[in-house]
Amino acid sequence: VSTQSTGPAHFPSPHPPFKPTIQKCKELFGEENVVIFSNSVGKMGSGDNLKMEERVKREQDSFGLKFILHHENKPFGKGSVGKYFNDKGISLREVVVIGDRPVTDILFGNSMSAYTILTDPLTPDTDPLYLRLVRKFERLIFEFWLQRSPKSSPPPHPLVPETVSTSLLLFKE
């Protein structure tokens, strides 16, 4: 899960309507199995690691979710997520990646054969103009790429019947 998929970037906790859903996920999948892999929180080695660890602790307390520490941002960083879940005996094919950025979140999830869910941005009207433009550009590029390269399409996944087009699921608006 991306932090921007759980709430606006300037909010230090999940968006209130998502709190019951997050709680239900923790009940269904286990508290330690609902985690956040964020490009803005948890990246180690890019400065003062002690300050980052303190920030991660604050964010974890605020969100009520574990943040995975990592050295690479999405769409890379598969190793950190893989290690976290492999240490728990969970296959990456059992992982669901939820995010609002096709070129980071969805590409990241697809690259490790996870089930991916592309959401609409929660706060498109309050996002900075540059971010709104980047999001539109990303979606255009990603859609173009999916149409041109079958290998870039989401991998088949046991949670989605073969009769459903996964690329339609990604871009249904």
Side-chain angles (χ1 to χ4, degrees):
V1 176
S2 155
T3 50
Q4 289 188 345
S5 299
T6 57
H10 53 278
F11 280 57
S13 63
H15 194 46
F18 293 159
K19 287 181 179 183
T21 302
I22 291 171
Q23 185 57 40
K24 186 68 172 175
C25 287
K26 287 166 41 173
E27 291 168 12
L28 288 171
F29 305 114
E31 192 160 327
E32 70 284 354
N33 295 329
V34 181
V35 298
I36 293 179
F37 184 89
S38 170
N39 280 355
S40 58
V41 179
K43 179 150 189 210
M44 305 300 286
S46 58
D48 187 341
N49 284 345
L50 185 56
K51 283 186 180 177
M52 180 54 74
E53 288 176 5
E54 290 169 1
R55 180 174 178 202
V56 166
K57 170 97 174 79
R58 280 193 315 271
E59 296 283 343
Q60 286 180 157
D61 290 346
S62 176
F63 273 77
L65 295 170
K66 178 169 179 46
F67 281 67
I68 295 178
L69 298 174
H70 55 92
H71 293 280
E72 294 181 301
N73 282 343
K74 295 174 284 184
F76 310 103
K78 180 169 111 173
S80 300
V81 172
K83 179 175 178 359
Y84 180 84
F85 286 107
N86 286 335
D87 287 351
K88 298 184 172 315
I90 297 171
S91 160
L92 291 177
R93 301 233 345 119
E94 298 175 82
V95 172
V96 177
V97 175
I98 303 169
D100 62 354
R101 304 279 305 270
V103 176
T104 56
D105 305 320
I106 303 307
L107 185 59
F108 170 69
N110 288 350
S111 74
M112 59 183 191
S113 298
Y115 185 71
T116 56
I117 299 172
L118 179 64
T119 66
D120 288 329
L122 292 176
T123 57
D125 297 335
T126 60
D127 283 344
L129 178 61
Y130 81 89
L131 185 54
R132 286 181 281 170
L133 293 173
V134 166
R135 288 183 198 278
K136 284 184 188 240
F137 182 70
E138 278 184 348
R139 286 190 183 234
L140 287 171
I141 295 297
F142 200 64
E143 196 165 321
F144 177 81
W145 185 35
L146 283 174
Q147 291 171 358
R148 300 284 188 263
S149 175
K151 290 184 179 180
S152 65
S153 294
H157 199 280
L159 295 176
V160 179
E162 288 183 32
T163 58
V164 175
S165 168
T166 52
S167 60
L168 287 177
L169 288 175
L170 280 175
F171 294 100
K172 184 177 180 190
E173 307 245 350

